[in-house]
Amino acid sequence: MGKTTPCKIPLLFQSKLLCFSLLYLASTLFFALRNSLSPSQCGFKDPPFDPIQTPLFTYPHSYGEHKYALPARRSSCSSSVLFSDYKVVFKEIQDLCGNSSAFPPVLKYMQGNADSFGGHFGTKKSIAYFDHQNNSLDLPCGFFKKFPISDSDRTAMENCHGVVVVSAIFNNHDKIRQPRGLGSKTLETVCFFMFVDDTTLKGLEHHHLIYEKSNEFKIGAWRIVKVSSKNLYENPAMNGVIPKYLVHRLFPNSKFSIWVDAKLQLTADPLLLIHALVVSENVDMAISKHPFFIHTMEEAMATARWKKWRDVNALLMQMETYCENGLQPWSSNKLPYPSDVPDSALILRKHGLRSNLFSCLMFSELEAFNPRDQLAFAYVRDNMSPKLKLNMFEEQVFEDIAVEYRHSLKRVGIGANDEGSKASNSKGTKRASHELLFINGSSCSSCQNYLLKMWGS
């Protein structure tokens, strides 16, 4: 009787460590695949509709519009938002935009000429306009210089009567990216405008996306508007603030607007977004909460620490001015506002008295100090009257409706570094340290009570 030959284990499986590693890899891939295919636990859930399938524009490979996307910081989400049926939303938005009584002309704007576009209304002057109970009072809201664009672009902007999506690239700082997830009728009813300066325009010409001899420029969904920025602000970031906060004046006949920072690519239909975040919530404006900070002073300290604005003394003066005029750290007393610091890369508005007033007041503050709009946000919101009805949605919702990319290059401008750089890659809310009560050896005296309340002292 012959000897039985023992079953020989393949060499590959003789190592226990290797077997364990393979098992771990297999299980990890399984759960990753399952999570990627399963419905999202947060953000938007939309019913089926007929989106545009064909690309809106084909870029040359050299342009690199999809390079350097930033990873999402997704975590568990406390709530979800449901998109309504696209056809229902389309009709409802159309009916709203056609109802002139829903958007009465409630603000009168100051006219005149000045040596700056915003008229140099500092905090001491502009604070008189925060309480807007008298509708006959003229409000300073930019345009003390002519906004330098072509007549054909100006006419096209005035002819936008419904929803407008607005973005801007100055100093060739970003790439033009096409919106995704658009419904079949959206391009017929929603206007897309991208404001650029001469430097950006030359970059587009270099990649053969536009031709210099053309009178009008179009790249996919976006109408490109050339802004001759020589007569505006020396800082390109401040020029970008004009379409960001004065959109209701640039598009006087539009009823809703979405500001999209050029570092973002919109991945959801604008009509669905306006309906879900503004109309259904019955608010004037919708904006994402900041992923790390809830107090204005935290953002100010991060701005100085990460050199997002290099003039620290100017930041100190700005914060002291706000503290002197009543700025307080966030607390439950400010509810229903859940935070003092937004992520202002995406702003959705219904054009009306409160949102237009907020935008005008914000613009005056940004011209007075710097274009870091997160620093002035709570100061304007908390002091203005009538109060802004605001939807500050979760960061995870923001990540469901847009993809964020790194900027193309470092910004060149007065006092500015990389406007789009993140405060930190670490997760969680970052707390400021007590040593920042003093900046450059000077006591931040006006804000000491603010800081003590923020730290719970």
Side-chain angles (χ1 to χ4, degrees), residues 1-6:
M1 189 172 179
K3 295 181 179 179
T4 56
T5 305

Side-chain angles (χ1 to χ4, degrees), residues 298-318:
E298 290 178 313
E299 175 63 27
M301 292 173 177
T303 298
R305 182 185 304 122
W306 296 98
K307 299 180 181 178
K308 294 181 177 181
W309 190 258
R310 293 183 180 276
D311 191 345
V312 178
N313 287 328
L315 289 174
L316 173 61
M317 183 178 69
Q318 181 181 12

Side-chain angles (χ1 to χ4, degrees), residues 356-377:
N356 293 354
L357 175 63
F358 174 81
S359 297
C360 292
L361 295 173
M362 277 290 292
F363 185 81
S364 292
E365 293 302 315
L366 300 180
E367 186 190 63
F369 291 106
N370 59 69
R372 302 293 306 174
D373 54 350
Q374 292 157 310
L375 301 179
F377 180 85

Side-chain angles (χ1 to χ4, degrees), residues 53 62 81 98 122 139 147 151 162 188 241 247 282 379 392 424 440:
Q53 300 290 345
S62 61
V81 183
L139 181 71
F147 191 58
D151 291 338
E188 301 171 13
V241 165
V247 58
N282 190 29
Y379 170 74
M392 293 190 78
S424 175
N440 290 351

Side-chain angles (χ1 to χ4, degrees), residues 8-245:
K8 193 171 183 179
I9 301 175
L11 184 63
L12 179 65
F13 298 103
Q14 289 183 16
S15 169
K16 291 182 180 180
L17 180 60
L18 181 59
C19 287
F20 178 79
S21 299
L22 290 172
L23 179 63
Y24 176 79
L25 177 62
S27 60
T28 302
L29 289 174
F30 169 76
F31 286 115
L33 182 62
R34 188 186 71 172
N35 289 339
S36 66
L37 295 176
S38 63
S40 174
Q41 294 293 315
C42 63
F44 288 93
K45 300 173 183 176
D46 53 319
F49 76 107
D50 183 27
I52 298 173
Q53 300 290 345
T54 55
L56 298 178
F57 189 79
T58 302
Y59 291 90
H61 179 71
S62 61
Y63 189 61
E65 76 282 4
H66 288 143
K67 286 183 178 180
Y68 313 121
L70 295 175
R73 295 177 295 269
R74 183 176 301 285
S75 59
S76 60
C77 190
S78 58
S79 64
S80 61
V81 183
L82 181 67
F83 275 152
S84 298
D85 181 75
Y86 176 75
K87 292 181 180 178
V88 174
V89 169
F90 183 84
K91 186 177 187 309
E92 187 173 344
I93 296 293
Q94 271 198 324
D95 292 343
L96 267 175
C97 292
N99 181 8
S100 58
S101 62
F103 303 88
V106 288
L107 289 178
K108 294 174 61 181
Y109 300 115
M110 192 177 292
Q111 307 293 322
N113 298 311
D115 60 352
S116 79
F117 187 81
H120 281 310
F121 284 82
T123 297
K124 290 183 180 180
K125 287 184 180 179
S126 63
I127 200 168
Y129 299 96
F130 274 60
D131 189 356
H132 194 80
Q133 302 299 330
N134 183 1
N135 290 338
S136 64
L137 182 68
D138 289 350
L139 181 71
C141 195
F143 293 89
F144 290 94
K145 283 185 173 183
K146 184 178 180 180
F147 191 58
I149 59 175
S150 70
D151 291 338
S152 60
D153 285 331
R154 199 182 310 276
T155 300
M157 290 156 61
E158 292 173 354
N159 287 335
C160 183
H161 288 85
V163 177
V164 60
V165 180
V166 180
S167 190
I169 303 175
F170 288 89
N171 211 26
N172 203 23
H173 198 47
D174 291 283
K175 305 290 185 183
I176 295 178
R177 299 176 177 93
Q178 299 303 317
R180 293 183 358 225
L182 302 185
S184 55
K185 295 184 178 180
T186 297
L187 286 177
E188 301 171 13
T189 55
V190 177
C191 313
F192 290 82
F193 280 82
M194 175 72 70
F195 294 88
V196 303
D197 60 358
D198 291 321
T199 303
T200 306
L201 205 66
K202 289 178 181 177
L204 298 176
E205 292 169 0
H206 173 75
H207 291 284
H208 306 292
L209 299 180
I210 60 171
Y211 297 96
E212 186 179 5
K213 294 182 179 179
S214 302
N215 294 323
E216 297 179 3
F217 307 112
K218 191 85 182 285
I219 299 178
W222 298 100
R223 180 178 179 123
I224 310 300
V225 178
K226 177 187 173 182
V227 181
S228 299
S229 54
K230 290 181 180 179
N231 295 324
L232 293 176
Y233 298 100
E234 192 173 350
N235 185 355
M238 190 61 209
N239 289 326
V241 165
I242 297 173
K244 184 173 186 177
Y245 279 99

